[in-house]
Amino acid sequence: MEGEGPSPREEEIADLADPRAPWEKLVEDPAAPRAMLAVMFTDIIGSTELATSLGDKRWRELLEQHDAAIRTQIARFDGREVDTAGDAFFATFGLAVRAVDCALESARAVR
C-alpha cells in the first residue's frame, strides 16, 4: 500500500553505514605502498602430551632445537619471523613458493 513507508527489512538495510563487505570498501589512498605476502604458521601437534611425557627440562631443550631449526629455514627462504607462541611460529614471505618450501623443509628439519 502506498504511503506506508519502508518495510522493517528495508529499515535495517538503510541503518547500515556501509553494507559492503570490508574487502569491498574503497582504498582511502590508492598511492599507498602495498605488498603481497604469503604466510606460514607452524605448530607441533600433540605438544602438550609430548611436553608432559618428556618433562620440563627435556621439553625446553627440544623446543630450543625446534625453534633454531625453524628460524634457520625462515632465514634460508628469505622469510620474516612475525611472532611465536609456545611451539608455534608465524612468518611471512615475499613469494608463496618460498613459504611452501620453508614449510616443507621445516617439517623435515624437526623430524
Side-chain angles (χ1 to χ4, degrees):
M1 301 184 138
E2 284 187 48
E4 286 189 17
S7 70
R9 179 72 180 134
E10 289 170 334
E11 286 179 8
E12 288 174 14
I13 293 171
D15 286 342
L16 294 174
D18 187 349
R20 296 177 293 181
W23 56 87
E24 293 177 327
K25 290 184 180 180
L26 296 176
V27 175
E28 291 192 24
D29 181 4
R34 302 277 189 271
M36 180 76 75
L37 297 174
V39 298
M40 179 186 79
F41 295 96
T42 68
D43 188 50
I44 298 175
I45 297 171
S47 61
T48 302
E49 294 80 13
L50 182 58
T52 300
S53 70
L54 293 176
D56 287 343
K57 183 175 186 262
R58 180 66 185 118
W59 171 248
R60 279 193 302 274
E61 291 169 355
L62 184 66
L63 197 55
E64 286 174 10
Q65 293 171 2
H66 166 271
D67 291 357
I70 299 296
R71 286 186 172 111
T72 296
Q73 297 308 318
I74 291 171
R76 177 180 172 201
F77 291 98
D78 298 321
R80 185 175 74 84
E81 181 181 322
V82 176
D83 197 11
T84 62
D87 59 66
F89 274 80
F90 170 39
T92 59
F93 299 83
L95 297 171
V97 68
R98 289 186 183 156
V100 171
D101 288 347
C102 183
L104 292 170
E105 291 301 315
S106 293
R108 288 184 186 116
V110 298
R111 289 192 187 267

